[in-house]
Amino acid sequence: MASFILLFLLAVTGGAVSQSNDSTEPMCYDWGESSQAAVLVLDGEAGWVSCPLFSHPAVYNYTTAQSAGHDLVWYRLLDGHDLEQPIPYSARVSRERERLWLQPAVVNDTGQYICMLRNKSSCSRIAVRLQVLLRDQAVRSAGCPQVAMAATEALIGFQQGKTLTCPNLQDASKMADSDPTVNWTYVNQDMSRCDPYPFWDNHREQVRTDLQIHNMLIPYEGLYFCTVWYRRRGGSLSFTRSIKVSGIYPTTLPKDPIILHPTNGKVFPVRTNSDVHLTCRGQLPFIIDKPEREIWWTVDGKRVEQLNDGRFSQTNSTTDDHRDLTAVTILKITDVQSEDLQRNFTCSVKNARGSMARWVQLEEEVSLPSVELGCGLGVTLVLMLLLFVVYHVFWLELLLLYRSWFGTDERHTDDKEFDVYISYARNSEEEQFVLSTLRGVLENELGYSVCIFDRDSLPGGTITDETLSFVARSRRLLVVVSPGYASRGSQALLELKAGIDSMALGGHLRVILVQYRPVQRQSLVRELRRARVALALVRWKGDKSKELTSRFWKQLRVELPVRRAGREQQEGSSKEAALMRLVSQNSTNSQTGLISNTTKTPQNIPNSAA
């Protein structure tokens, strides 16, 4: 028991102890000044000083000490004085058991107070510092009471209740001549406003001297002041205390600690001779009266501080959410070695409710050929870009090349007589373009067999029948679109309708639109407007399109049938076609005027064809 008393008093006094050497007095242990029992009191408020020797009943008990013949004597050493003086008791300064009461305290009471417990054979003494503050030295918020002592703390679970009792109220009750009264004041968390009771809500209620919080909510957190008033010997005395109220998650919720990351058995790829950081994150719920919580790493069952290896270090950080902690601990391994791959790394969390642990391992990271992979990826991207550019610029040439290699010559798969039937407006400009440009290139340069009604029709036939026959015997219908094309009742309209019907019904004929001159959409007949939406349109751009290598002829060749025969066969076919036309030319000269007149006279076409 003696050793326990010694340790306790050393803790209270900060380790300072001395012994009196006066042989005429009993041996007296001087424990110096207690650093934990210092007292702050406001000038004009009731205050008291308790002897620290009796702060732990298991060490010293006042009743037991009195029974053993010990006397408690108080001295004081006021500021500015050198000698200790006995305390003169009065109506203002009195002693009640182990306490020295100052009712009220004044500024001149500031100083060191010594309580001495002694009998004939032993003596113990300890000092306490008392400081009486002036009103302008105390902590004060706008409209709030002044308070000298630090606030006590009250923790209340959300959606739960608790009764707040003003600190030291029972002590005042023992000294009062009647029951004390208490006034409560609340200041919100940002310290912007102080409200005296009532607080204008149904969840906080003063019941006699206590403040009852029935249902704790976040807005109720903050600082609560309680001022105790009591009467003694005809005078009115008071003191003010403060309570800091904080909300916590309800005690009914699970309070077991958990690890959020990593998962159990997780494998981290690492490279030897490099640094690695292993992160562990856990939740540590708060438990009232047992706030101790911890998160840590172990390596093969040993904590970092037990390894004696400078390559391992640990850093911790926490985030507070109404006293529940989200804790993060990072294990840093400098210069990872091959033997570290065989170690067991465990993250653990613990609070008063329980503990949890998860282990992880390290494995050698497979080294990828990053340089080779990057170069290959770069070359691939460059090639893809080049191919895209080549295709975007030369797609017509590529398509023609593909058709020449893999396309099917339609002359071997059908019984058509002509490759192209040209439909155009019968006027001098379009007729000149068709006869001198289109026909010449298609027949003489490209080797296609071309049908032109005014040239290839025989005299004496019916225009409607001849037109339908020519269209049916052709693989393509090439329509030269111009402002004067396909007026109602014209032969061009008959050719267009026959081509579209044949394309829609059998699919053996394809219609190609060649725009010779720009045409406003509203000026076209209905059939031609529909054809422009669904069919390919090749635009003639004057001098730019005259060369055989121009975009116009390339686009037109894409739409025309495939020709894979050699140049000699193409030339032979062209000469044979030209010879046949010369034979028939003499027999048709006499009919040219008749055909032209017929073409220009819409009423000669049967109504059914129109």
Side-chain angles (χ1 to χ4, degrees):
M1 176 62 73
S3 61
F4 179 77
I5 295 173
L6 178 61
L7 290 175
F8 167 74
L9 290 176
L10 284 173
V12 170
T13 60
V17 60
S18 61
Q19 182 175 337
S20 173
N21 294 323
D22 190 350
S23 58
T24 61
E25 296 290 337
M27 183 177 59
C28 190
Y29 290 96
D30 187 355
W31 299 100
E33 182 178 322
S34 173
S35 59
Q36 298 180 359
V39 179
L40 292 176
V41 185
L42 277 179
D43 180 33
E45 282 193 348
W48 58 87
V49 179
S50 297
C51 182
L53 294 176
F54 302 101
S55 60
H56 200 292
V59 181
Y60 281 113
N61 182 277
Y62 183 81
T63 302
T64 304
Q66 288 288 330
S67 302
H70 288 81
D71 293 329
L72 180 64
V73 182
W74 283 93
Y75 298 90
R76 67 180 178 182
L77 180 61
L78 300 179
D79 285 353
H81 294 73
D82 297 329
L83 297 177
E84 298 175 359
Q85 303 174 1
I87 295 177
Y89 297 117
S90 63
R92 188 181 69 86
V93 181
S94 62
R95 182 172 73 87
E96 178 67 24
R97 293 175 61 86
E98 72 276 12
R99 287 183 177 176
L100 181 66
W101 282 81
L102 305 172
Q103 302 180 101
V106 295
V107 175
N108 292 336
D109 292 332
T110 298
Q112 190 182 67
Y113 288 74
I114 302 101
C115 63
M116 179 184 297
L117 185 66
R118 66 182 182 180
N119 61 9
K120 294 181 180 181
S121 59
S122 65
C123 173
S124 294
R125 56 179 282 164
I126 190 170
V128 180
R129 170 66 56 177
L130 170 66
Q131 184 176 4
V132 181
L133 301 177
L134 293 173
R135 292 286 172 172
D136 57 1
Q137 295 178 313
V139 177
R140 183 183 181 91
S141 300
C144 296
Q146 291 176 302
V147 61
M149 297 185 66
T152 59
E153 186 176 49
L155 303 176
I156 309 175
F158 291 117
Q159 305 299 326
Q160 294 179 328
K162 188 172 184 178
T163 299
L164 301 181
T165 299
C166 190
N168 304 125
L169 175 62
Q170 297 301 323
D171 299 320
S173 300
K174 297 176 182 178
M175 302 298 294
D177 296 336
S178 60
D179 293 337
T181 61
V182 179
N183 296 331
W184 288 91
T185 306
Y186 166 69
V187 58
N188 55 5
Q189 296 185 55
D190 57 6
M191 307 293 289
S192 62
R193 186 182 73 256
C194 250
D195 295 326
Y197 183 84
F199 305 132
W200 308 109
D201 58 69
N202 298 326
H203 299 307
R204 293 178 292 180
E205 178 186 10
Q206 182 170 347
V207 180
R208 290 185 292 274
T209 58
D210 297 334
L211 181 64
Q212 179 71 45
I213 299 180
H214 301 290
N215 188 19
M216 181 62 189
L217 302 174
I218 291 180
Y220 300 162
E221 292 182 318
L223 203 60
Y224 290 78
F225 296 94
C226 56
T227 301
V228 178
W229 295 88
Y230 66 95
R231 300 191 64 82
R232 181 173 183 271
R233 296 181 180 180
S236 178
L237 298 168
S238 68
F239 60 85
T240 300
R241 299 290 183 264
S242 58
I243 303 174
K244 183 180 179 181
V245 174
S246 300
I248 61 174
Y249 287 107
T251 56
T252 55
L253 295 178
K255 296 295 181 178
D256 297 320
I258 59 174
I259 295 178
L260 303 176
H261 175 82
T263 56
N264 202 34
K266 183 176 178 62
V267 178
F268 291 91
V270 297
R271 294 183 180 181
T272 54
N273 302 321
S274 64
D275 298 344
V276 65
H277 295 78
L278 302 181
T279 302
C280 179
R281 184 171 68 253
Q283 284 187 346
L284 299 171
F286 176 77
I287 300 177
I288 298 178
D289 300 329
K290 296 178 181 179
E292 295 78 13
R293 292 163 287 179
E294 191 176 8
I295 182 172
W296 72 95
W297 279 100
T298 58
V299 182
D300 291 335
K302 294 183 178 180
R303 296 202 180 200
V304 174
E305 57 270 15
Q306 298 173 339
L307 292 175
N308 296 323
D309 189 341
R311 295 188 303 113
F312 296 89
S313 60
Q314 177 178 301
T315 57
N316 293 350
S317 61
T318 58
T319 303
D320 192 318
D321 181 15
H322 294 96
R323 300 301 177 93
D324 283 4
L325 297 183
T326 298
V328 177
T329 178
I330 300 176
L331 177 64
K332 180 180 179 181
I333 308 174
T334 305
D335 191 19
V336 175
Q337 303 299 316
S338 57
E339 59 267 20
D340 294 332
L341 304 180
Q342 309 302 322
R343 294 178 183 268
N344 186 288
F345 300 89
T346 304
C347 175
S348 303
V349 291
K350 180 182 179 181
N351 67 358
R353 188 63 57 86
S355 62
M356 186 178 187
R358 285 182 177 173
W359 62 272
V360 300
Q361 282 187 324
L362 307 180
E363 71 172 7
E364 183 72 23
E365 181 180 356
V366 178
S367 179
L368 296 176
S370 56
V371 177
E372 294 83 352
L373 189 62
C375 292
L377 181 60
V379 171
T380 302
L381 291 176
V382 171
L383 289 177
M384 291 179 62
L385 181 61
L386 288 176
L387 289 176
F388 175 78
V389 173
V390 169
Y391 178 79
H392 183 73
V393 176
F394 301 104
W395 69 275
L396 281 174
E397 290 80 356
L398 294 174
L399 186 56
L400 289 173
L401 182 62
Y402 175 83
R403 281 162 49 90
S404 66
W405 286 352
F406 303 103
T408 302
D409 194 334
E410 298 180 23
R411 291 176 297 179
H412 303 154
T413 60
D414 60 26
D415 56 354
K416 302 285 187 177
E417 181 180 351
F418 302 102
D419 291 321
V420 182
Y421 179 92
I422 301 179
S423 174
Y424 60 96
R426 270 57 175 184
N427 57 55
S428 59
E429 185 176 355
E430 278 81 355
E431 190 169 6
Q432 179 68 24
F433 169 70
V434 170
L435 296 178
S436 63
T437 302
L438 280 181
R439 181 198 62 80
V441 174
L442 293 179
E443 288 184 341
N444 301 329
E445 301 294 336
L446 303 180
Y448 290 104
S449 57
V450 178
C451 178
I452 301 175
F453 183 88
D454 296 340
R455 183 193 67 180
D456 298 327
S457 61
L458 297 176
T462 304
I463 294 179
T464 301
D465 295 339
E466 288 279 351
T467 300
L468 296 178
S469 175
F470 282 141
V471 172
R473 290 150 53 194
S474 300
R475 297 182 180 91
R476 300 290 187 273
L477 173 61
L478 196 153
V479 178
V480 180
V481 181
S482 62
Y485 181 83
S487 59
R488 292 210 171 269
S490 67
Q491 181 179 350
L493 180 59
L494 174 63
E495 295 166 345
L496 177 62
K497 286 184 176 181
I500 293 177
D501 292 342
S502 177
M503 185 176 180
L505 295 176
H508 302 296
L509 175 70
R510 289 178 56 187
V511 180
I512 307 170
L513 301 180
V514 174
Q515 179 179 288
Y516 178 63
R517 285 191 300 169
V519 183
Q520 296 295 329
R521 179 178 175 84
Q522 58 269 20
S523 64
L524 297 176
V525 295
R526 180 182 59 185
E527 291 78 8
L528 197 53
R529 285 200 301 270
R530 293 179 177 177
R532 285 197 59 178
V533 175
L535 302 178
L537 180 65
V538 184
R539 289 181 172 85
W540 174 262
K541 297 183 179 179
D543 293 339
K544 294 182 180 179
S545 302
K546 287 184 178 181
E547 295 294 332
L548 192 59
T549 57
S550 67
R551 188 177 184 85
F552 171 80
W553 293 109
K554 292 176 182 178
Q555 286 182 303
L556 189 58
R557 288 174 59 191
V558 170
E559 302 298 330
L560 292 175
V562 176
R563 281 290 174 267
R564 300 182 61 187
R567 182 171 183 83
E568 294 81 2
Q569 183 178 350
Q570 294 177 2
E571 291 178 355
S573 300
S574 300
K575 291 178 180 178
E576 182 181 354
L579 181 59
M580 292 179 63
R581 286 193 296 274
L582 285 174
V583 172
S584 61
Q585 184 68 35
N586 293 330
S587 62
T588 58
N589 285 336
S590 60
Q591 303 295 329
T592 303
L594 176 61
I595 293 173
S596 302
N597 293 334
T598 306
T599 304
K600 298 178 182 179
T601 307
Q603 58 269 23
N604 292 336
I605 300 175
N607 292 333
S608 59

